[in-house]
Amino acid sequence: MKAHLLYRDADFDVKSPDPPGAADLEQDLELGYLLDAMADGDSFTGTVARTAMLHPLLSPEAVRYRQEALEDCARNRDFVARLYELTERALDAERGGLFFLLSNGRPEYLLRRAVGVLRNLLPIIDELRQVAEAGSALFRSVAFLGFFATIRTELDDAAFQGLRSAVRRLELRGGLLMSASLAPGGAVEGQVLRLPRDENRRLLSRTAMKRPSFSFTIPDRDEAGFDALAALQDRSVNDVANAASQSLDHVRAFFASLRAELAFYLGCIRLGDRLSAIGVPLTMPAPEVVEATGRRAVGLVDPCLALRAGRLPVGNDVHPGARRLLVVTGANHGGKSTFLRSLGVGQLMMQAGMFVPAREFADLCVGAIFTHWAREEDEELLHGKLDEELARMGIIIDAIRPGDLLLSNESFSSTNESEGSEIALQVVQALLHSRVEVRLVTHLYSLAAALQALGTDHVAFLRAPRRTEAGHSYRLEEGPPLPTSWGIDLFDERFGTHLGSSPPPPGADG
Amino acid sequence: MLGVEGRQVTAEFRSILFPPGFDRVIPVTTDDALHDLALDQIVDRLVARAGRPDTAQVDLGSVFRSPLGVEREVLYRQAVFVALESPTVRAIAADFSEVLRTSGAYEASASASHDGHQRTRLHLTAVQRYVSAVLKLAEELPAALHAAGAGSEALFGLLDHVQQLTASADFQRLQTESAQLEVQWRAVRYNVWIRGSRVTVAPFDDEPDLSAEVEEAFARFRQGATRDYRVQYREADFDHVQGWVLEKVAHLFPDLFAALESFMAESASFVDPTVARFSHELRFYLTYLDYLQPLRSVGLATCYPVVSAMSKVLHATATFDLALARTLVAKHFPVVPNDFTLRSAERILVISGPNQGGKSTAARTIGQLHHLAALGCPVPGSGVRIFLPDRVLTQFEREEQLDTLEGRLGSEVDRIHGLLEAATPRSVIILNEIFTSTALEDARVLTAEVLKRVSELDALCVCVTFIDELSRLNEKTVSMVSAIDPTDPAVRTFKVERRPADGRAYALALAGKHELTFAGIVHRLEQREARS
């Protein structure tokens, strides 16, 4: 019995390990802002959202499955919120969780705890049955309708009665009946708890067993005897305590996975509210491209920047079409990094089944997404910066596959332009040759110029405007690279110098 | 080499440590000497593994302290070692010993038990372990000994004994009766009902399993693998409540419990003393082989020495200090082996040379070689021919509490005096850096004097000293020098070579390394001139 609200045929595992490069991806795309908005203070939702985003869906069908479910949720917000609240109650059914820690793993404690919690869960399970009845009329998506149908079949009246009866028997009100054998040392062993046979019940006897029977009673003051009896009982309920605890685990796991899957959709709804409030346009993206238009984004913004700044950033349009390489050049602080992030985040959101912060967005589903950012500071001073960059690229190359996407931001800028360009050119050409999608921001003119030679059928170029030309607008324009990147402008601005207006003195470098 | 002509069964087999008829008191090596030779750690292992020596059994620690002076006795043990080098033979012997030990533990529990029913049951287990151990030994040992080509008089003696034992009527009755009782015990099934403080025992009626019902009801919720909540219990302690339950179970199965009772009465002392002794003495061999194992696994050679009670010739190739090698191998450091030779009339090895060069190690190695060979053990090195000494006597510097020089020197002189008193022409004497607390001239005279006395005694001796002229004392002395690496004198080679002592070689090499030799200084001056 699975909820399967996120994948049609697979479980969503909140704890699935990060794919390679996930930590860099999260850091470089500044996903934290987005995840925080989805979590809205609930760290569990934050974790769910993070896991969902870091494990992109790989097919248009999988994306549509979630998109429909998300639209369903948006239409039935209150219903979904109530269902989520029910799962939280189910997971809270074990009050006084510390009690478990004090149990020292004693089977009797384990059993009593499991039975107590299962007893509390029975009414919540019953409530879930009613919710499934009601929901079937309200929802339209394959995901939710399938879920409700599962509940109605798996938890029909007969099954529910079975749960009730099992819980009652676990309460062991009539004492412990067990079969046993003898250990080599003479002790009771091989205990199996049993249900008494009706035909062995007799008038005036509380113990329904065959005859002859022999009894003894622990004397009132025999403390050691009571301890010994308790130890015997512990050993005897070991298997049943295990069965009960595992049963409880099954129920909890069911509600936990349901809760995680609902948390994702509720997080998306919260994020949508936040972005809409700022004025960010949201669109359900097309997870595949039409021949005529190809890949395209219209008014694409970086949602993380929007959330951080609390205002609508300048959107960008880009139409790479069929081209697998996009190169962004131009002035520093020209919005290149932000644009690269918006491409990455947009792709991730689309492949998580979410809306995308754009007026229009269509792209192919890529495989894994990797980022290679020039790092501001070298954390490990023992390594040279270029060494560190190469090492990181090496790790990516170890993991990247055809159909994946690499976002490269000023890679190999830690060495001189000629070396950096040569390394980067070889990397990029090798990746393209291996059918990896590449989105590249660089101020390495030699690199950009060399990539131009690949021809406009293969490379799309965008250019950040010089600040003096476009004011504070960060809108990128299509256009080939220009041989300077105006870092001097920034310097001049900050220092009040005029280095940019006169040629650099001979021998000066960078 | 083993001196054992095929299978030679003796009716009087008793021990795998001492040949039949052995009846001598052996001089015991002192703890100080064992410590100086770093063999005390092997003794400690032996004692730790053998446990407290029980009155009926041989004290293995004392066996390790007692060198055998007779070739036949040494060969008797060497042959056992050789057989146990076969993994099969070893596994069979070790397994036997282990099972016999558990049998003893069960019998001890039986004796300690206050519960009559439990006592009979523990006794049954003890007997079963014993029976199975003996049967297995009798069944597996012959083929293993043959396959290993082993010619151990001791082990064939043991085998013969064991075969007679298993053929005996008493043993066979133990075997069949214990097996029948076990089958009946395992078949016992009963029900227990616990309600409050009342416990009822009754026949089992194949009632339905509660866990199965619970699992089935909740299986629909299963999402994936779950944790196993079962507590892993060892067999339950047999407390008095268990005793009461067992007593009630005995009411359900009266015949079985009566049979256990009479079985115990009939088989009160079931262990054959000779196999018990074998099991105990085996530890001497296995502990020592285990000690060698890590050394052998890194390729260090050990061998069974050719021993002589007559010839004092020493020959050892690629030998090493057993204790130091253990430490080095554990740390993945290389072990440097050395060769030692004493020909015809040679008796005294005088080892000199730079400090930290392995001189003390060499002295210790030679002492170990003699002691271990005389115990019948395999020794470090290859092609070893060696004299069987009556004892190894040692004089190593003591870390004593005496503050004054007079005190230290006095105590040292006392100890050397005692050593020379105890020494016989058959002793091996190891003198390590003696008289270091005196003036050089005094040390030279005193050490020469001691060596002269040793020469007169005709005992074997190793003398580590910084006074290299002592190596030219007389025709009995042989000079050995701790070697240095000529390319890098700061590196310790730990190699000790047989060659004349030359006190200056080390200083020259060190100078060379720093280019402060005559040639080096001239060369550097020329280079500097050429640059400027």
Side-chain angles (χ1 to χ4, degrees):
Chain A
M1 191 167 85
K2 310 270 188 162
H4 281 181
L5 295 174
L6 289 184
Y7 299 97
R8 186 194 295 267
D9 298 313
D11 300 343
F12 173 70
D13 179 6
V14 188
K15 288 179 192 140
S16 43
D18 283 359
D24 283 343
L25 182 72
E26 190 179 4
Q27 177 186 343
D28 295 338
L29 298 186
E30 300 179 355
L31 288 181
Y33 294 100
L34 190 83
L35 300 177
D36 286 351
M38 292 178 77
D40 194 24
D42 174 24
S43 67
F44 175 72
T45 304
T47 310
V48 167
R50 181 178 181 280
T51 305
M53 294 206 71
L54 292 180
H55 293 86
L57 300 171
L58 302 178
S59 74
E61 295 74 28
V63 170
R64 291 222 178 79
Y65 185 78
R66 273 195 208 170
Q67 286 180 345
E68 283 175 24
L70 178 56
E71 282 165 346
D72 243 352
C73 289
R75 275 194 302 273
N76 298 286
R77 284 176 175 230
D78 295 344
F79 191 98
V80 174
R82 273 206 311 282
L83 186 52
Y84 184 74
E85 181 267 340
L86 181 145
T87 63
E88 290 198 309
R89 265 190 291 132
L91 295 168
D92 279 350
E94 179 187 5
R95 261 172 303 160
L98 288 176
F99 179 66
F100 172 55
L101 295 177
L102 297 173
S103 74
N104 295 326
R106 281 191 50 195
E108 280 236 62
Y109 274 110
L110 276 177
L111 176 61
R112 251 186 276 162
R113 159 185 169 267
V115 174
V117 182
L118 284 171
R119 202 191 294 124
N120 292 344
L121 280 169
L122 286 174
I124 300 177
I125 293 171
D126 201 18
E127 202 180 325
L128 177 67
R129 288 161 19 99
Q130 292 155 24
V131 167
E133 286 296 332
S136 305
L138 295 170
F139 284 72
R140 293 178 211 161
S141 64
V142 176
F144 275 91
L145 291 178
F147 168 61
F148 294 139
T150 302
I151 298 293
R152 291 163 71 186
T153 7
E154 291 281 342
L155 289 175
D156 61 9
D157 292 348
F160 189 64
Q161 282 313 316
L163 300 181
R164 277 203 166 137
S165 130
V167 171
R168 206 166 38 240
R169 284 181 163 153
L170 283 172
E171 288 168 353
L172 300 172
R173 291 199 186 139
L176 289 181
L177 170 63
M178 69 192 79
S179 64
S181 52
L182 289 175
V188 178
E189 99 172 348
Q191 295 99 310
V192 176
L193 288 203
R194 303 280 174 178
L195 296 165
R197 288 187 183 284
D198 287 336
E199 61 267 32
N200 285 336
R201 291 186 195 281
R202 276 178 201 76
L203 223 59
L204 304 176
S205 171
R206 289 158 147 188
T207 51
M209 292 192 290
K210 255 167 68 171
R211 303 283 135 160
S213 71
F214 303 92
S215 299
F216 63 87
T217 305
I218 313 278
D220 283 348
R221 276 162 300 173
D222 183 4
E223 281 185 31
F226 280 102
D227 288 348
L229 188 63
L232 176 60
Q233 283 179 303
D234 256 332
R235 286 169 176 266
S236 306
V237 302
N238 201 9
D239 282 355
V240 163
N242 182 49
S245 301
Q246 289 190 338
S247 296
L248 175 57
D249 279 354
H250 293 331
V251 176
R252 290 172 56 91
F254 169 78
F255 279 110
S257 74
L258 178 56
R259 172 171 170 243
E261 302 193 353
L262 293 171
F264 173 74
Y265 290 117
L266 289 172
C268 291
I269 290 172
R270 249 178 251 139
L271 174 66
D273 288 349
R274 285 279 307 276
L275 290 173
S276 299
I278 297 169
V280 175
L282 300 176
T283 181
M284 266 308 177
E288 52 203 329
V289 296
V290 186
E291 195 78 33
T293 51
R295 299 174 177 81
R296 56 192 273 113
V298 178
L300 176 66
V301 302
D302 176 8
C304 301
L305 176 59
L307 290 164
R308 188 178 51 183
R311 59 179 166 78
L312 175 63
V314 174
N316 280 297
D317 302 344
V318 60
H319 302 88
R323 291 166 290 191
R324 282 209 306 272
L325 174 62
L326 175 67
V327 178
V328 186
T329 61
N332 291 332
H333 276 259
K336 293 176 302 188
S337 296
T338 301
F339 171 70
L340 191 63
R341 268 188 216 107
S342 71
L343 277 179
V345 176
Q347 189 83 32
L348 276 179
M349 290 176 80
M350 180 183 89
Q351 292 192 233
M354 300 164 74
F355 42 76
V356 171
R359 287 200 301 279
E360 231 183 277
F361 193 93
D363 211 319
L364 296 168
C365 286
V366 297
I369 301 178
F370 294 89
T371 54
H372 189 263
W373 253 233
R375 289 280 153 80
E376 295 302 316
E377 280 172 44
D378 189 5
E379 289 153 22
E380 187 94 21
L381 287 172
L382 288 173
H383 286 279
K385 274 187 108 174
L386 179 63
D387 186 36
E388 187 269 343
E389 277 198 86
L390 286 165
R392 267 192 294 130
M393 186 61 86
I395 293 169
I396 292 172
I397 300 300
D398 281 343
I400 206 161
R401 302 166 65 174
D404 288 352
L405 168 64
L406 173 67
L407 302 168
S408 157
N409 191 15
E410 304 283 18
S411 296
F412 306 117
S413 53
S414 58
T415 182
N416 64 59
E417 173 153 354
S418 133
E419 273 182 14
S421 298
E422 181 56 29
I423 296 170
L425 182 64
Q426 300 214 9
V427 170
V428 170
Q429 284 182 320
L431 290 176
L432 288 179
H433 179 78
S434 309
R435 291 180 290 113
V436 172
E437 308 259 332
V438 182
R439 316 272 185 267
L440 183 78
V441 162
T442 185
H443 73 267
L444 296 173
Y445 176 72
S446 322
L447 171 64
L451 290 172
Q452 235 182 326
L454 294 175
T456 46
D457 287 352
H458 296 100
V459 198
F461 282 98
L462 282 184
R463 205 169 60 198
R466 194 170 176 171
R467 297 183 91 189
T468 47
E469 289 170 356
H472 288 281
S473 145
Y474 289 153
R475 190 182 297 275
L476 302 176
E477 305 146 356
E478 290 214 20
L482 298 174
T484 30
S485 85
W486 295 284
I488 272 174
D489 292 356
L490 281 178
F491 186 93
D492 283 348
E493 188 178 302
R494 179 61 50 88
F495 286 82
T497 48
H498 301 283
L499 305 174
S501 51
S502 57
D509 194 290
Chain B
M1 161 185 175
L2 298 176
V4 178
E5 273 79 44
R7 184 173 168 180
Q8 183 187 335
V9 175
T10 54
E12 49 185 334
F13 169 82
R14 276 170 45 230
S15 164
I16 54 168
L17 284 174
F18 301 99
F22 178 88
D23 184 20
R24 275 193 310 122
V25 177
I26 309 173
V28 172
T29 306
T30 63
D31 286 345
D32 276 352
L34 280 182
H35 175 77
D36 290 340
L37 298 178
L39 290 176
D40 48 350
Q41 34 183 291
I42 304 182
V43 177
D44 291 347
R45 275 163 184 265
L46 267 174
V47 174
R49 241 169 100 159
R52 204 172 281 277
D54 119 6
T55 44
Q57 288 172 333
V58 185
D59 171 7
L60 297 182
S62 104
V63 170
F64 200 84
R65 289 183 184 87
S66 310
L68 301 170
V70 179
E71 286 136 347
R72 173 171 179 251
E73 294 165 2
V74 168
L75 296 176
Y76 188 77
R77 286 195 197 161
Q78 284 192 355
V80 176
F81 268 117
V82 169
L84 289 170
E85 300 264 12
S86 145
T88 326
V89 175
R90 187 205 156 108
I92 291 166
D95 192 42
F96 172 77
S97 186
E98 174 56 21
V99 179
L100 208 61
R101 191 192 61 73
T102 63
S103 167
Y106 275 106
E107 190 60 8
S109 310
S111 311
S113 171
H114 299 298
D115 183 286
H117 295 305
Q118 191 211 17
R119 185 158 52 234
T120 59
R121 170 62 239 203
L122 292 174
H123 176 75
L124 173 63
T125 305
V127 170
Q128 286 179 310
R129 298 292 167 105
Y130 168 72
V131 166
S132 70
V134 172
L135 285 175
K136 203 165 173 228
L137 185 66
E139 187 192 321
E140 295 177 350
L141 193 56
L145 286 179
H146 284 296
S152 163
E153 179 191 351
L155 292 181
F156 277 107
L158 169 77
L159 180 59
D160 197 59
H161 178 85
V162 170
Q163 282 167 342
Q164 284 172 24
L165 177 64
T166 55
S168 71
D170 284 349
F171 185 88
Q172 289 181 348
R173 197 165 57 244
L174 275 184
Q175 185 188 351
T176 39
E177 287 183 13
S178 62
Q180 285 165 357
L181 288 170
E182 180 65 30
V183 168
Q184 294 169 41
W185 181 273
R186 288 198 186 171
V188 167
R189 286 288 177 287
Y190 55 94
N191 274 357
V192 180
W193 196 311
I194 303 173
R195 192 183 166 98
S197 60
R198 187 151 182 85
V199 179
T200 305
V201 177
F204 175 51
D205 196 22
D206 202 17
E207 288 91 345
D209 180 339
L210 173 59
S211 304
E213 173 162 320
V214 172
E215 279 162 10
E216 198 200 325
F218 283 95
R220 68 196 75 247
F221 285 98
R222 173 179 272 277
Q223 299 294 299
T226 52
R227 155 178 172 199
D228 187 349
Y229 286 89
R230 279 173 303 180
V231 176
Q232 294 304 316
Y233 284 116
R234 287 179 299 126
E235 189 179 329
D237 287 341
F238 192 83
D239 50 46
H240 66 281
V241 170
Q242 294 277 5
W244 291 340
V245 174
L246 185 60
E247 192 227 320
K248 304 302 175 198
V249 174
H251 286 319
L252 293 177
F253 301 91
D255 294 350
L256 170 60
F257 282 81
L260 283 165
E261 194 74 42
S262 51
F263 178 73
M264 182 157 109
E266 287 158 14
S267 58
S269 61
F270 56 91
V271 180
D272 174 74
T274 303
V275 297
R277 179 172 179 168
F278 161 66
S279 166
H280 174 71
E281 292 180 345
L282 186 62
R283 288 169 204 166
F284 173 84
Y285 295 95
L286 298 189
T287 306
Y288 187 78
L289 288 176
D290 287 349
Y291 193 87
L292 293 188
Q293 198 282 326
L295 309 179
R296 288 171 159 182
S297 71
V298 297
L300 289 169
T302 60
C303 71
Y304 288 89
V306 175
V307 296
S308 169
M310 301 295 295
S311 161
K312 290 182 179 172
V313 161
L314 169 67
H315 181 78
T317 306
T319 186
F320 52 88
D321 176 341
L322 208 54
L324 177 64
R326 279 278 299 204
T327 311
L328 293 174
V329 165
K331 294 176 179 168
H332 305 289
F333 289 152
V335 174
V336 179
N338 279 303
D339 303 341
F340 299 104
T341 307
L342 282 174
R343 301 186 188 104
S344 52
E346 296 167 353
R347 294 289 181 268
I348 302 174
L349 284 172
V350 178
I351 306 179
S352 59
N355 285 337
Q356 309 288 351
K359 289 178 298 181
S360 297
T361 300
R364 204 181 292 122
T365 304
I366 295 166
Q368 285 178 3
L369 271 183
H370 284 89
H371 185 75
L372 295 172
L375 291 179
C377 293
V379 297
S382 53
V384 176
R385 305 180 69 88
I386 200 161
F387 176 67
L388 287 180
D390 58 358
R391 260 202 293 185
V392 178
L393 302 167
T394 59
Q395 175 82 0
F396 276 56
E397 206 168 5
R398 288 262 170 276
E399 287 175 23
E400 281 179 278
Q401 303 305 319
L402 299 166
D403 292 334
T404 63
L405 280 181
E406 296 96 303
R408 275 175 69 184
L409 184 58
S411 132
E412 192 175 12
V413 170
D414 284 350
R415 284 193 295 124
I416 287 188
H417 178 261
L419 183 150
L420 290 174
E421 285 285 294
T424 73
R426 299 176 41 88
S427 301
V428 169
I429 300 168
I430 311 289
L431 303 172
N432 189 33
E433 306 273 17
I434 53 174
F435 301 122
T436 50
S437 53
T438 63
L440 173 64
E441 179 58 19
D442 290 2
R444 193 181 63 75
V445 172
L446 291 176
T447 310
E449 178 56 29
V450 170
L451 290 186
K452 260 180 229 151
R453 284 162 187 266
V454 171
S455 299
E456 283 160 19
L457 198 58
D458 199 39
L460 289 174
C461 176
V462 179
C463 177
V464 172
T465 179
F466 55 98
I467 307 162
D468 59 22
E469 64 183 85
L470 292 174
S471 64
R472 300 181 285 274
L473 195 67
N474 58 34
E475 76 289 349
K476 291 192 173 181
T477 56
V478 173
S479 173
M480 293 195 78
V481 178
S482 56
I484 46 163
D485 180 347
T487 63
D488 186 356
V491 172
R492 304 173 191 174
T493 68
F494 301 112
K495 203 81 192 163
V496 175
E497 293 161 352
R498 183 174 164 132
R499 59 180 165 83
D502 176 1
R504 295 184 309 154
Y506 180 65
L508 281 173
L510 258 187
K513 186 198 174 208
H514 294 280
E515 294 184 71
L516 292 173
T517 57
F518 176 82
I521 292 169
V522 171
H523 180 69
R524 286 163 77 177
L525 286 175
E526 281 175 358
Q527 292 251 304
R528 200 185 310 139
E529 290 302 307
R531 276 200 301 273
S532 59

